[in-house]
Amino acid sequence: MSIDNFDNSRIAASLANRINDRADAVEIADEIVTMCQEINDALSPIIGRRGVDALYKRSLHLATPTYPWLAMARDGAQEFMDPAKLKSTLAAQSSADAAAGGGALLQTFQDLLASLVGPSLTERLLHPVWNNS
């Protein structure tokens, strides 16, 4: 499986399983932050907390041109991923924007990880996150 053919629908399906159609931006933010924390828990023992943080910050940077408001999640952020800052940034958006921006952040993170370790290992590492609904 090449990175270009990596299954991008897994994140959308995971979000759809976790968030109902009537969820507000706060509920969406809660679920996306939970997913980020699950990613951190899954990857920290393997690449370290700083490794996860580097991928997270790079993902925010790459998703910001499409969703400029995501820059607020990294402005003044501490050394490591700041779930409270991400949650407040997502919760301040409309439900649709929070879901789209959060989904883009997760997708970018997955794509970056896949570019480093390959799609197969990425799938194995993140499988528990995407299937935890």
Side-chain angles (χ1 to χ4, degrees):
M1 173 187 325
S2 75
I3 293 171
D4 295 333
N5 295 328
F6 202 55
D7 184 9
N8 296 336
S9 63
R10 181 169 310 272
I11 293 170
S14 181
L15 283 171
N17 284 333
R18 290 174 180 240
I19 302 168
N20 69 47
D21 293 339
R22 295 183 182 160
D24 63 19
V26 173
E27 293 168 319
I28 292 167
D30 280 338
E31 286 303 323
I32 291 171
V33 166
T34 297
M35 292 172 81
C36 287
Q37 290 171 324
E38 290 172 4
I39 289 169
N40 185 48
D41 293 345
L43 296 180
S44 287
I46 299 162
I47 64 172
R49 188 169 177 194
R50 290 182 191 264
V52 175
D53 185 56
L55 287 173
Y56 172 77
K57 286 182 179 178
R58 183 69 179 150
S59 298
L60 276 175
H61 175 76
L62 292 173
T64 297
T66 306
Y67 301 95
W69 49 265
L70 277 174
M72 293 183 294
R74 65 179 175 172
D75 290 345
Q78 303 167 352
E79 186 176 343
F80 296 105
M81 185 186 319
D82 188 345
K85 195 159 197 67
L86 177 59
K87 181 179 176 180
S88 67
T89 299
L90 291 169
Q93 308 310 309
S94 69
S95 296
D97 284 346
L105 174 63
L106 294 169
Q107 184 65 55
T108 303
F109 189 99
Q110 176 183 269
D111 292 347
L112 281 173
L113 183 61
S115 73
L116 294 171
V117 301
S120 179
L121 182 55
T122 298
E123 173 63 27
R124 284 188 297 193
L125 293 171
L126 297 181
H127 179 79
V129 176
W130 305 147
N131 289 327
N132 182 14
S133 45

